[in-house]
């Protein structure tokens, strides 16, 4: 491997102003050996190293490796194969242990670190006992040695070291320089040092940026090798531990995001399960409504309110109609001993849709059924006798069943005209209203709406409840959309903060050969993982809460409705909603991650790596 700089000029632009840092500098580096770069502060030493590392591009001139100019569109491959860097400000990743910091860059470069080599290096640099520590627990000198060990472990042909002994005492500095000299037997080591005395002791190849010398030739025999980039396996697979550590390191932020979402998730699950449970309850109730298929029909013609035989025949012969009778009027005149009962009467046809609590459908004349409320209020049981007084005649009615009516609460009686005494029937028949049994209320209404008023109390209930539930569902959906937008804004802010905090880590990885798209993928993987954690934990907590609510029968105690909070089955089971929620959070966080990670390409890696 031969490294050459050919007529390199580097300037930085500040608006119209240009600052010249390196001017027409040419260097032929040796294939191995220790080269020192010296010069006063600001003379461009770090800039020179950054140019060699491919972190910065020259304004003019070329950086050549084995005779070929660096290809900046594939700079990651060059950085993986050739470069390791000891940074002036260490650039250790705070979330990783010393051991993980040591292997991270080698993994990115696709180099497997042998345990023996790791042990040799860490023992030589006296950092073996620190392997499980985090950077924040280390002194400046210890951090510097970890930075050095990390670079040695990469084992690349070129090692760049910016002030590698700056934070070390004299003894340690000499030991490090000894090791660098030893390492330089097989590698090219380029070291920046302010300690002129020390560096000249270990190297005769000095680049003095204050000397105005523009041409250095340390390699007398320039023999080029095949310019070959090492094939690196996917760094993402190898550095999964980075993701794990980041999640742990940011647990406080994740907990904060989670708490901010928890309210939304729980409120959504409760509202949705409440609406669904309520709707299920209403549907179950309506299934056993004794007047489910009973339709009342009256005429719109007020001059002739009674039905004619012809009109009755038309309706009777309609295929939509199951059976038809006149309405019987039991509104007043029902007594228990001397007490007149206030009852609402409903005409039913047969035993369909009736839920019996006791007794059975009438089978004898003048038998009626009552609901629970009537039984309770007037202390009635089956076979009890009531009497009905009309035109000073008394008829006995006996209770054949107590039934459940979820919809028409109040004190009611239910009777079938088949079991009403003919004589009584004659007296209470209302010829202006027909009671029809039919499953086809809507079709009948449409067909006869011109001439008749058509009422189905059951359907009215159903429609009003349906409207109510649809409105409630709309409110929940609006609530969900608004809170989700707010959540997304909040999550974006937090994820962006994470990215800002992580800029230096990402710069470090990028400048060591992590491809840009992989860096973005790494970040969006992390954010989607955060999203799925939030969705999953939120779902688990919401489900737990639902179970506790149902276990303690809270809905029964509060609203008299058992097991109200039941999530709807969307596809396979009632857990579908959680799967959707986890998916939504994962993909939303992934989206935010992808958007935020677009900024990675705008980062100024060289400046970020220089920040203390
Ligand atoms: N990315 C950058 N953008 C703008 N100016 C820069 C950038 N990097 C370096 N400079 C400027 O270039 C000059 C040389 O900087 P450099 O860091 O290479 O000096 P140095 O010799 O390493 O200094 P020191 O010994 O203090 O570390 C400085 O004036 C610095 O402000």
């Amino acid at each position: 491997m031969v490294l050459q700089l050919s007529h390199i000029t580097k300037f930085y632009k500040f608006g119209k102003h240009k600052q010249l840092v390196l001017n027409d500098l040419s260097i032929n580096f040796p294939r191995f050996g220790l080269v020192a770069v010296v010069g006063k502060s600001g003379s461009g030493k770090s800039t020179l190293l950054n140019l060699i590392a491919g972190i910065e591009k020259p304004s003019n001139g070329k950086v050549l490796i084995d005779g070929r100019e660096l290809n900046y569109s594939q700079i990651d491959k060059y950085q993986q194969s050739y470069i390791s860097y000891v940074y002036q400000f260490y650039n250790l990743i705070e979330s990783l242990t010393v051991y993980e910091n040591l292997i991270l860059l080698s993994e990115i470069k696709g180099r497997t670190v042998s345990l023996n080599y790791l042990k040799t290096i860490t023992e030589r640099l006296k950092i073996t006992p620190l392997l499980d520590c985090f950077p924040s627990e280390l002194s400046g000198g210890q951090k510097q040695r970890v930075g050095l060990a990390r670079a040695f472990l990469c084992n690349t042909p070129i090692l760049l070291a910016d002030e590698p002994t700056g934070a070390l005492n004299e003894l340690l500095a000499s030991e490090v320089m000894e090791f660098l000299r030893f390492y330089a037997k097989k590698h090219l080591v380029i070291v920046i040092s302010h300690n002129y005395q020390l560096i000249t002791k270990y190297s005769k190849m000095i680049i003095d940026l204050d000397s105005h010398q523009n041409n250095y030739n340390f390699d007398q025999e320039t023999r080029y090798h095949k310019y070959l980039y090492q094939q690196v396996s996917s760094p993402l697979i190898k550095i999964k531990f980075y993701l794990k550590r980041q999640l742990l390191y940011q647990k406080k932020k994740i907990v904060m995001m989670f708490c901010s979402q928890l309210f939304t998730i729980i409120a959504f699950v409760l509202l949705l399960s409440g609406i669904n449970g309520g709707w299920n309850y209403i549907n179950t109730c309506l299934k056993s409504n004794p007047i489910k298929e009973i339709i009342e029909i009256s005429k719109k013609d007020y001059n002739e309110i009674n039905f004619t035989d012809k009109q009755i025949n038309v309706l009777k012969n309609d295929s939509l109609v199951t059976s038809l009778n006149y309405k019987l009027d039991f509104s007043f005149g029902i007594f228990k001993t001397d007490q007149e009962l206030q009852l609402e009467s409903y005409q039913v046809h047969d035993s369909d849709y009736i839920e019996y609590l006791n007794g059975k459908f009438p089978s004898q004349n003048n038998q009626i059924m009552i609901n629970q409320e009537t039984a309770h209020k007037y202390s009635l049981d089956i076979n009890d006798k009531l009497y009905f007084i009309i035109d000073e005649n008394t008829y006995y009615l006996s209770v054949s069943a107590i039934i459940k009516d979820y919809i028409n609460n109040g004190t009611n009686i239910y009777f079938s005209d088949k079991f009403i005494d003919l004589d009584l029937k004659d007296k209470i028949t209302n010829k202006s209203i027909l009671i029809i049994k039919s499953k086809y209320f809507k079709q009948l209404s449409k067909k006869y709406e011109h001439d008749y008023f058509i009422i189905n109390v059951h359907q009215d209930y159903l429609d009003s409840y349906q409207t109510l539930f649809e409105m409630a569902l709309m409110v929940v959906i609006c609530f969900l959309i608004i809170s989700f937008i707010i959540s997304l804004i909040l999550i974006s802010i937090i994820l962006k903060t994470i990215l800002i905090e992580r800029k230096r880590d990402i710069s470090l990885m990028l400048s060591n050969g992590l491809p840009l798209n992989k860096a973005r993928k790494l970040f969006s993987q992390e954010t989607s993982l955060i999203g799925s954690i939030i969705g999953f934990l939120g779902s688990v907590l919401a489900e737990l809460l639902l179970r506790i609510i149902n276990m303690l029968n809270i809905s029964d105690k509060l609203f008299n409705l058992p097991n109200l909070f039941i999530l709807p089955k969307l596809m396979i089971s009632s857990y579908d909603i959680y799967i959707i929620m986890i998916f939504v959070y994962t993909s939303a966080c992934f989206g935010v991650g992808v958007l935020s990670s677009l900024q990675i390409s705008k980062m100024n890696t060289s400046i970020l790596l220089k920040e203390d």
Side-chain angles (χ1 to χ4, degrees):
M1 184 280 314
V2 173
L3 171 70
Q4 294 166 300
L5 301 190
S6 164
H7 301 286
I8 291 283
T9 297
K10 179 70 186 174
F11 51 77
Y12 293 106
K13 273 188 186 164
F14 305 96
K16 284 181 186 166
H17 179 71
K18 263 190 200 173
Q19 184 194 358
L20 185 65
V21 180
L22 298 172
N23 189 16
D24 195 27
L25 183 65
S26 295
I27 309 171
N28 268 1
F29 284 95
R31 271 168 293 146
F32 39 82
L34 187 71
V35 177
V37 184
V38 296
K40 62 179 187 304
S41 179
S43 56
K45 301 182 292 297
S46 304
T47 307
L48 178 67
L49 254 56
N50 285 345
L51 288 168
I52 296 171
I55 298 172
E56 293 193 52
K57 283 186 195 172
S59 311
N60 275 313
K62 296 171 190 169
V63 178
L64 302 143
I65 191 99
D66 282 331
R68 293 217 201 163
E69 195 178 344
L70 283 192
N71 177 357
Y72 287 95
S73 62
Q74 289 195 331
I75 200 69
D76 48 340
K77 291 204 172 120
Y78 163 72
Q79 289 165 333
Q80 285 165 7
S81 306
Y82 287 94
I83 301 293
S84 42
Y85 207 130
V86 183
Y87 301 91
Q88 191 175 6
F89 297 111
Y90 329 125
N91 287 325
L92 301 180
I93 295 180
E94 294 295 323
S95 59
L96 303 184
T97 61
V98 166
Y99 171 76
E100 287 161 343
N101 264 293
L102 288 181
I103 60 165
L104 179 79
L105 300 187
S106 325
E107 299 285 13
I108 288 176
K109 291 175 194 292
R111 288 167 188 267
T112 322
V113 177
S114 90
L115 273 181
N116 268 345
Y117 186 46
L118 185 120
K119 218 172 133 205
T120 314
I121 302 272
T122 53
E123 269 169 16
R124 187 109 197 221
L125 290 166
K126 300 187 176 61
I127 53 168
T128 313
L130 307 175
L131 288 180
D132 290 330
C133 297
F134 285 92
S136 56
E137 297 162 339
L138 308 184
S139 70
Q142 287 170 330
K143 283 183 189 172
Q144 189 149 51
R145 280 176 283 148
V146 174
L148 271 157
R150 179 175 63 181
F152 289 136
L153 285 174
C154 291
N155 207 7
T156 51
I158 303 172
L159 185 142
L160 307 169
D162 196 345
E163 290 274 357
T165 55
L168 305 181
N169 62 32
E170 226 172 278
L171 186 67
L172 267 175
S174 304
E175 279 183 33
V176 163
M177 285 312 297
E178 278 297 339
F179 193 72
L180 280 171
R181 186 158 61 181
F182 167 77
Y183 189 81
K185 287 192 173 152
K186 287 189 180 158
H187 305 81
L188 168 61
V189 178
I190 306 172
V191 182
I192 294 178
S193 181
H194 279 128
N195 192 337
Y196 195 79
Q197 253 187 340
L198 181 75
I199 202 73
T200 43
K201 216 170 115 189
Y202 290 92
S203 175
K204 297 289 162 266
M205 294 182 273
I206 311 276
I207 298 166
D208 185 354
L209 294 182
D210 293 337
S211 69
H212 303 295
Q213 184 183 338
N214 280 4
N215 212 324
Y216 294 86
N217 191 0
F218 300 118
D219 191 35
Q220 304 307 334
E221 39 137 9
T222 306
R223 273 188 290 115
Y224 297 146
H225 296 254
K226 205 173 169 203
Y227 186 62
L228 237 190
Y229 286 138
Q230 199 177 314
Q231 282 299 315
V232 171
S233 55
S234 174
L236 279 190
I237 299 167
K238 292 194 150 197
I239 59 172
K240 283 275 186 265
F241 65 88
Y242 175 78
L243 273 184
K244 198 181 92 192
R245 281 284 179 209
Q246 284 306 338
L247 292 179
L248 287 175
Y249 192 66
Q250 273 144 203
K251 55 183 182 295
K252 277 190 191 150
K253 281 200 195 82
I254 299 177
V255 168
M256 202 169 102
M257 274 198 267
F258 173 66
C259 291
S260 71
Q261 294 314 299
L262 195 61
F263 166 75
T264 314
I265 295 175
I266 287 181
F268 170 65
V269 167
L270 283 185
L271 284 172
L272 196 70
S273 58
I275 290 178
N276 178 57
W279 181 236
N280 284 348
Y281 175 77
I282 298 296
N283 272 314
T284 324
C285 297
L286 289 177
K287 253 187 221 158
S288 60
N289 181 7
I291 55 163
K292 188 167 181 181
E293 289 176 6
I294 304 296
I295 299 164
E296 280 195 12
I297 298 192
S298 53
K299 289 166 65 175
K300 284 185 176 171
D301 179 358
Y302 295 109
N303 296 321
E304 182 51 67
I305 57 169
N306 287 345
F307 283 88
T308 62
D309 289 345
K310 198 176 152 199
Q311 287 165 332
I312 289 176
N313 273 336
V314 170
L315 286 168
K316 220 176 205 165
N317 294 327
D318 192 316
S319 59
L320 300 174
V321 174
T322 313
S323 64
L324 171 152
N325 301 92
Y326 280 122
K327 179 169 178 156
L328 303 184
D329 194 356
F330 270 103
S331 320
F332 304 101
I334 300 181
F335 286 82
K336 181 193 173 193
T337 58
D338 281 342
Q339 182 191 12
E340 182 167 10
L341 310 185
Q342 303 296 318
L343 297 172
E344 197 65 50
S345 61
Y346 292 99
Q347 198 159 328
V348 295
H349 273 270
D350 40 41
S351 54
D352 285 2
Y353 313 120
I354 292 175
E355 191 181 324
Y356 297 96
L357 290 167
N358 206 351
K360 53 186 189 334
F361 197 75
S363 55
Q364 289 167 23
N365 264 1
N366 294 354
Q367 279 189 325
I368 55 161
M369 297 179 292
I370 56 173
N371 64 345
Q372 231 178 347
E373 282 87 344
T374 313
H376 180 72
K377 185 166 177 191
Y378 298 117
S379 308
L380 290 169
D381 210 338
I382 51 168
N383 298 327
D384 278 355
K385 293 229 165 359
L386 299 174
Y387 51 101
F388 179 62
I389 302 172
I390 184 162
D391 299 341
E392 293 177 356
N393 291 321
T394 304
Y395 298 88
Y396 285 98
L397 302 172
S398 85
V399 177
S400 76
I402 299 172
I403 66 170
K404 186 124 188 151
D405 186 344
Y406 293 98
I407 302 299
N408 314 298
N409 2 18
T411 46
N412 306 330
I413 65 161
Y414 308 83
F415 61 92
S416 162
D417 87 329
K418 278 188 245 163
F419 298 105
I420 299 299
D421 202 282
L422 280 179
D423 181 30
L424 172 61
K425 205 193 257 183
D426 257 2
K427 288 186 174 144
I428 59 173
T429 297
N430 179 349
K431 296 211 166 172
S432 65
I433 301 175
L434 292 176
I435 298 290
I436 278 182
K437 187 183 178 199
S438 170
K439 283 189 167 97
Y440 309 103
F441 168 70
K442 293 213 163 117
Q443 289 94 318
L444 277 174
S445 302
K446 215 166 172 196
K447 198 164 171 185
Y448 296 108
E449 68 186 353
H450 183 68
D451 300 319
Y452 302 131
F453 294 113
I454 302 177
I455 299 165
N456 176 328
V457 181
H458 170 85
Q459 192 63 41
D460 285 350
Y461 272 112
L462 192 70
D463 289 348
S464 56
Y465 276 117
Q466 194 159 359
T467 316
L468 200 73
F469 277 96
E470 275 168 5
M471 272 168 57
L473 202 65
M474 280 300 291
V475 172
V476 172
I477 289 171
C478 287
F479 161 80
L480 189 75
I481 292 174
I482 294 169
S483 39
F484 200 67
I485 290 172
I486 296 172
S487 306
L488 270 189
I489 295 172
L490 206 93
I491 290 178
S492 314
I493 295 171
I494 298 181
L495 292 183
K496 222 157 189 165
T497 324
I498 290 179
L499 183 76
I500 292 169
E501 281 174 6
R502 197 77 59 71
K503 272 184 174 174
R504 206 218 283 232
D505 294 4
I506 295 170
S507 299
L508 174 75
M509 292 195 268
L510 283 177
S511 59
N512 276 278
L514 183 72
L516 184 64
N517 64 336
K518 296 262 163 117
R520 286 190 183 135
K521 209 165 151 192
L522 195 67
F523 188 68
S524 40
Q525 259 185 7
E526 187 181 330
T527 56
S528 30
L529 223 87
I530 292 176
S532 48
I533 291 174
I534 293 174
F536 178 75
L537 285 184
S539 303
V540 169
L541 280 187
E543 175 63 21
L544 264 178
L545 191 72
L546 275 193
R547 284 179 185 221
I548 291 171
I549 287 175
N550 286 332
M551 213 169 69
L552 300 178
N553 268 339
I554 289 178
S555 64
D556 203 10
K557 285 172 193 152
L558 286 181
F559 315 110
N560 243 345
L561 301 176
N563 294 329
L564 176 69
F565 295 98
I566 299 162
L567 279 173
K569 211 188 251 187
L570 297 184
M571 286 166 295
I572 304 164
S573 70
S574 55
Y575 297 118
D576 294 344
I577 206 85
Y578 295 127
I579 293 168
I580 292 174
M581 201 145 66
I582 295 170
F583 174 76
V584 167
Y585 271 104
T586 309
S587 35
C589 287
F590 172 76
V592 173
V594 169
L595 282 182
S596 313
S597 71
L598 291 179
Q599 291 183 340
I600 290 180
S601 52
K602 293 182 200 147
M603 291 184 331
N604 190 331
T605 4
S606 67
I607 290 192
L608 286 165
L609 289 173
K610 263 189 227 172
E611 278 170 9
D612 189 6

